[in-house]
Amino acid sequence: MDFLDEPFPDVGTYEDFHTIDWLREKSRDTDRHRKITSKSKESIWEFIKSLLDAWSGWVVMLLIGLLAGTLAGVIDLAVDWMTDLKEGVCLSAFWYSHEQCCWTSNETTFEDRDKCPLWQKWSELLLSQSEGASAYILNYLMYILWALLFAFLAVSLVRVFAPYACGSGIPEIKTILSGFIIRGYLGKWTLLIKTVTLVLVVSSGLSLGKEGPLVHVACCCGNFFSSLFSKYSKNEGKRREVLSAAAAAGVSVAFGAPIGGVLFSLEEVSYYFPLKTLWRSFFAALVAAFTLRSINPFGNSRLVLFYVEYHTPWYMAELFPFILLGVFGGLWGTLFTRCNIAWCRRRKTTRLGKYPVLEVIVVTAITAIIAYPNPYTRQSTSELISELFNDCGALESSQLCDYINDPNMTRPVDDIPDRPAGVGVYTAMWQLALALIFKIVITIFTFGMKIPSGLFIPSMAVGAMAGRMVGIGVEQLAYHHHDWIIFRNWCRPGADCVTPGLYAMVGAAACLGGVTRMTVSLVVIMFELTGGLEYIVPLMAAAVTSKWVADAFGKEGIYEAHIHLNGYPFLDVKDEFTHRTLATDVMRPRRGEPPLSVLTQDSMTVEDVETLIKETDYNGFPVVVSRDSERLIGFAQRRELILAIKNARQRQEGIVSNSIMYFTEEPPELPANSPHPLKLRRILNLSPFTVTDHTPMETVVDIFRKLGLRQCLVTRSGRLLGIITKKDVLRHMAQMANQDPESIMFN
């Protein structure tokens, strides 16, 4: 009896930091599906089981959507409360944020809507003073202390319980979705710690966002629920389809943009995205958005904080400043990527990397000390973006809306004409300029520390500040020079023609596009985020310009740059390979190297194979007819050989060290007194992917990318010459791009 007819545990699984074999996973799923379909005709019970199996995918999506939406709602509410805790506390119920505290108060007036007796700043509570130098200094100190406490708690939790919970998580998720295995990266501890520390770091006022980490959190939910269903837990290829959909749900709740989430997963994160996954991503994003809307964390019945309504259309002449903002976004994206990667590389290679807690504390202290005096950096970044996006209505109390009003104005409230800027606007411009410089510098040092840190919100803040300043400039130019030829056609005196908030929105899209190199999903996320459906063209113009400008300086976005920095084996679909090399130039063994380690089909003993496994660290071995003929039979994975031999020794009698191992259908002719042979045909891959030695590397790279191969064997006239692994391909590509080939660290 062939003991391998019964499956044994762990067969078909992969070791940590190894790449999965997509073709093998796909064929295993097809076999499983065929078995279920044939069984379903036997009885009612089997038919019900086949229905449950077919529905399990949708059930997993439903669960991911519910959990991701709930976690995002809880994070939003907690961040709101803890951000306000740095400035004061609610006396009626300390768990109320500033806004919730003043909702219930009857003594709040419209002018002083932020002041109510129930909400007390720390100086009022401890010194009974709200104004004056001592009150300011105490509030300043409390702000810094709370920020340091939150940041210290976050970095300590990450260090002790879940080291994988740091960073944004998107580079690693891209790598995992391309078929790499990082055990524990999507585990339950990572999920728990990332959720808690995300609240802490965003509340500490550091220059980072929660959007990228929410994708990681949603993927952890996806991994958790897929482990409950054998269809996904036993098949790494199928599991990655679930994770692609989970990434879509993550963006859906991060921005309240379900369609943008699906497109983000398709454009930016996923490696293999079949049509079925598209529908499931759509469903998961829908459920997640619906759950978040039910929680209503912002209290405005919207999914997002930045919902805006502009009352004026945009004009063709405005495309010029929009494109300029696109250029700014592209330049900022390039600057940020280069500086951040240089700093992260320095952190990896110098002693700086040994003190992650100290680094976080120092950066938090600097951020809090510089941020507090400026009202635009003191408030949370989301509130800042919300204020910058806002249109100046009659009810706005922001400094940005301090225009000089015409006393004879008798226009409807929502259509206020362009007015000359007042003192408040000029003060706000100075403060915004300083805040912009501060944000640009501090974000470079913040992203990549050992805490959860997203990049979407800081990038959008940089763009929104630059955009609002440009918008106010254009508005004042149009007001004072409405007789210029460019303004004459569309900007009459007394008309509301320029909306500075729209410029902030376009600037935010441009900067986010410059850093991440997204285009389609970015525009969709932006108009879902703000509800500005008629402003698609300005957003598209800015997104495309920023991508062109950034691509002119280097093709890599921030996520690809971090993947390369960490040495993950990621074959980017967007990279082009144009060098004229052949498979024979890349395959191993090269000239002067020892010959390829192979197994023969029926002449090696168990001991020979065990010695070969012990002496080498290859992931698998080609199987040939004999060492003389070198004719290829198939490929055996190292892990499965080890498991098969171990199981055979335990479960099959007569298997000893000098038992012959054979991969053929029939056992070889053996002398009468020889020990029992071991048949291992079941673990042999009889259709390994092969290319000839004269195949161009361009084709080989394409095959590795599109089929997700781990390795490919090189033959000539059926004879085995060598092997090309994914690592060899990546090394070769790095060499051709004049980079260090040894930077590809993992298998």
Side-chain angles (χ1 to χ4, degrees):
M1 174 220 162
D2 179 1
F3 87 103
L4 281 170
D5 285 343
E6 298 172 35
F8 52 85
D10 278 346
V11 72
T13 57
Y14 301 92
E15 287 178 42
D16 203 2
F17 295 129
H18 282 60
T19 306
I20 70 167
D21 191 333
W22 284 93
L23 286 177
R24 187 155 152 253
E25 297 298 300
K26 200 163 173 23
S27 71
R28 279 173 55 199
D29 185 61
T30 313
D31 291 347
R32 187 196 62 83
H33 195 261
R34 205 180 292 126
K35 206 178 284 180
I36 287 174
T37 312
S38 63
K39 271 189 176 179
S40 67
K41 294 166 187 162
E42 292 169 12
S43 67
I44 291 287
W45 173 237
E46 290 294 342
F47 178 69
I48 291 168
K49 266 165 72 176
S50 75
L51 281 180
L52 289 172
D53 180 75
W55 272 91
S56 62
W58 296 101
V59 173
V60 170
M61 293 307 138
L62 179 72
L63 294 170
I64 290 170
L66 289 170
L67 186 57
T70 308
L71 287 175
V74 169
I75 288 171
D76 284 333
L77 289 167
V79 163
D80 208 22
W81 170 63
M82 285 171 71
T83 305
D84 288 344
L85 194 62
K86 290 187 302 188
E87 296 190 13
V89 70
C90 187
L91 296 182
S92 58
F94 75 91
W95 58 87
Y96 276 178
S97 69
H98 190 166
E99 194 178 3
Q100 291 163 334
C101 195
C102 293
W103 273 345
T104 50
S105 170
N106 297 326
E107 293 136 60
T108 312
T109 59
F110 185 74
E111 272 72 37
D112 293 334
R113 68 192 88 167
D114 287 342
K115 290 185 181 152
C116 56
L118 292 173
W119 177 265
Q120 292 217 320
K121 289 189 172 176
W122 291 112
S123 61
E124 293 170 343
L125 197 66
L126 302 172
L127 297 176
S128 306
Q129 284 178 280
S130 60
E131 304 295 329
S134 53
Y136 184 82
I137 291 167
L138 182 77
N139 284 334
Y140 200 163
L141 284 172
M142 288 302 287
Y143 182 90
I144 296 168
L145 285 174
W146 279 111
L148 288 172
L149 175 69
F150 292 157
F152 176 70
L153 268 176
V155 71
S156 306
L157 285 170
V158 168
R159 270 204 75 181
V160 176
F161 295 107
Y164 280 151
C166 66
S168 90
I170 293 179
E172 283 77 9
I173 282 166
K174 281 186 78 157
T175 312
I176 288 170
L177 289 179
S178 78
F180 195 54
I181 293 200
I182 308 178
R183 295 230 182 279
Y185 198 82
L186 301 173
K188 299 181 198 66
W189 269 112
T190 310
L191 172 64
L192 179 67
I193 299 298
K194 188 119 188 178
T195 309
V196 173
T197 52
L198 193 50
V199 174
L200 290 165
V201 292
V202 174
S203 309
S204 71
L206 282 162
S207 181
L208 43 81
K210 61 180 187 301
E211 281 62 21
L214 270 174
V215 175
H216 186 180
V217 166
C219 285
C220 289
C221 301
N223 191 51
F224 171 67
F225 288 123
S226 60
S227 63
L228 305 178
F229 296 83
S230 63
K231 175 179 176 180
Y232 297 108
S233 62
K234 290 183 180 170
N235 190 307
E236 292 290 347
K238 294 295 283 178
R239 188 195 294 257
R240 273 152 184 71
E241 291 180 28
V242 173
L243 296 179
S244 286
V251 175
S252 170
V253 290
F255 289 114
I259 308 288
V262 175
L263 287 171
F264 176 79
S265 181
L266 174 61
E267 182 185 359
E268 192 60 27
V269 196
S270 296
Y271 197 80
Y272 171 64
F273 203 84
L275 199 56
K276 189 164 56 174
T277 307
L278 181 72
W279 301 330
R280 287 189 175 161
S281 304
F282 187 75
F283 179 63
L286 161 78
V287 175
F290 175 76
T291 310
L292 185 63
R293 172 69 185 75
S294 311
I295 294 171
N296 194 10
F298 303 112
N300 60 359
S301 301
R302 305 259 183 228
L303 283 172
V304 278
L305 200 53
F306 320 134
Y307 196 82
V308 287
E309 288 179 55
Y310 302 135
H311 301 289
T312 48
W314 60 278
Y315 299 92
M316 281 306 290
E318 288 183 288
L319 267 181
F320 181 66
F322 292 153
I323 287 169
L324 276 181
L325 284 170
V327 173
F328 170 75
L331 292 172
W332 142 253
T334 307
L335 171 85
F336 175 79
T337 304
R338 293 208 175 160
C339 295
N340 180 253
I341 291 297
W343 180 248
C344 290
R345 187 169 284 121
R346 190 177 176 79
R347 186 188 286 127
K348 268 177 125 68
T349 52
T350 60
R351 292 181 60 189
L352 181 70
K354 293 182 183 149
Y355 308 106
V357 179
L358 186 65
E359 186 191 5
V360 171
I361 294 293
V362 169
V363 172
T364 309
I366 293 169
T367 307
I369 290 165
I370 300 175
Y372 187 82
N374 187 338
Y376 292 109
T377 45
R378 186 190 314 172
Q379 64 193 140
S380 78
T381 320
S382 301
E383 285 169 6
L384 167 65
I385 296 171
S386 183
E387 189 175 323
L388 293 168
F389 280 7
N390 249 339
D391 194 10
C392 284
L395 310 175
E396 286 298 327
S397 61
S398 163
Q399 253 196 328
L400 286 165
C401 296
D402 182 22
Y403 290 94
I404 298 164
N405 283 318
D406 181 1
N408 306 325
M409 187 175 77
T410 52
R411 313 253 1 233
V413 165
D414 65 347
D415 190 21
I416 297 169
D418 286 351
R419 300 158 290 172
V423 184
V425 175
Y426 288 114
T427 314
M429 290 282 274
W430 270 111
Q431 290 173 338
L432 276 181
L434 292 170
L436 176 64
I437 295 164
F438 169 64
K439 272 272 186 246
I440 284 176
V441 174
I442 204 72
T443 308
I444 289 168
F445 297 101
T446 309
F447 187 69
M449 290 198 301
K450 292 286 175 231
I451 43 172
S453 53
L455 194 58
F456 283 35
I457 290 287
S459 303
M460 284 171 66
V462 166
M465 285 189 273
R468 185 77 186 207
M469 285 154 69
V470 170
I472 291 172
V474 173
E475 181 191 46
Q476 292 307 306
L477 201 64
Y479 177 81
H480 292 294
H481 303 281
H482 51 77
D483 52 345
W484 283 10
I485 193 159
I486 48 169
F487 300 123
R488 200 182 298 152
N489 297 337
W490 54 276
C491 203
R492 295 180 307 284
D496 177 18
C497 34
V498 180
T499 312
L502 169 61
Y503 285 78
M505 189 167 119
V506 171
C511 281
L512 188 50
V515 172
T516 60
R517 310 297 160 86
M518 298 191 298
T519 48
V520 184
S521 51
L522 171 69
V523 173
V524 175
I525 285 172
M526 284 307 291
F527 82 69
E528 280 190 275
L529 187 65
T530 54
L533 201 60
E534 56 183 288
Y535 303 108
I536 286 184
V537 174
L539 288 171
M540 285 170 80
V544 168
T545 313
S546 79
K547 182 172 168 58
W548 281 342
V549 171
D551 279 353
F553 292 99
K555 293 276 185 214
E556 280 186 335
I558 188 73
Y559 300 135
E560 289 81 12
H562 271 274
I563 285 171
H564 280 162
L565 179 71
N566 292 330
Y568 297 133
F570 180 72
L571 262 177
D572 199 345
V573 184
K574 301 180 193 104
D575 282 352
E576 289 174 9
F577 185 84
T578 51
H579 304 281
R580 297 177 68 94
T581 44
L582 300 176
T584 187
D585 303 327
V586 181
M587 73 174 194
R588 287 180 308 166
R590 303 217 172 90
R591 280 200 191 107
E593 288 183 355
L596 196 62
S597 302
V598 294
L599 305 175
T600 55
Q601 68 174 5
D602 55 8
S603 60
M604 288 176 84
T605 63
V606 171
E607 191 177 19
D608 294 339
V609 176
E610 284 181 325
T611 310
L612 183 66
I613 288 170
K614 209 170 284 175
E615 288 173 357
T616 61
D617 56 357
Y618 304 128
N619 288 336
F621 304 94
V623 179
V624 294
V625 173
S626 68
R627 291 200 185 276
D628 303 327
S629 81
E630 292 273 323
R631 253 195 36 248
L632 185 65
I633 300 290
F635 193 82
Q637 298 285 353
R638 172 199 188 86
R639 183 178 171 82
E640 293 183 6
L641 274 171
I642 295 170
L643 288 167
I645 293 170
K646 184 176 152 195
N647 271 26
R649 282 184 184 277
Q650 288 169 359
R651 290 166 53 180
Q652 202 173 339
E653 283 178 29
I655 299 295
V656 287
S657 290
N658 58 347
S659 296
I660 291 287
M661 271 175 53
Y662 66 99
F663 293 96
T664 50
E665 280 291 355
E666 299 301 322
E669 296 291 325
L670 296 171
N673 59 350
S674 58
H676 203 312
L678 171 59
K679 180 179 180 182
L680 289 182
R681 192 172 176 82
R682 272 290 297 274
I683 66 163
L684 183 66
N685 175 7
L686 289 165
S687 55
F689 210 92
T690 57
V691 294
T692 65
D693 53 339
H694 285 291
T695 309
M697 268 315 285
E698 197 178 346
T699 311
V700 175
V701 170
D702 231 20
I703 291 168
F704 267 91
R705 254 191 215 134
K706 289 181 176 153
L707 297 179
L709 298 183
R710 287 180 86 177
Q711 70 278 316
C712 163
L713 301 172
V714 184
T715 59
R716 184 193 290 161
S717 317
R719 281 186 68 241
L720 180 68
L721 290 183
I723 185 169
I724 298 176
T725 62
K726 189 174 182 181
K727 205 171 173 182
D728 294 329
V729 172
L730 285 160
R731 276 209 188 102
H732 181 65
M733 287 172 78
Q735 223 166 348
M736 289 293 158
N738 297 324
Q739 293 165 352
D740 175 20
E742 292 311 310
S743 62
I744 314 297
M745 298 189 310
F746 296 116
N747 296 296

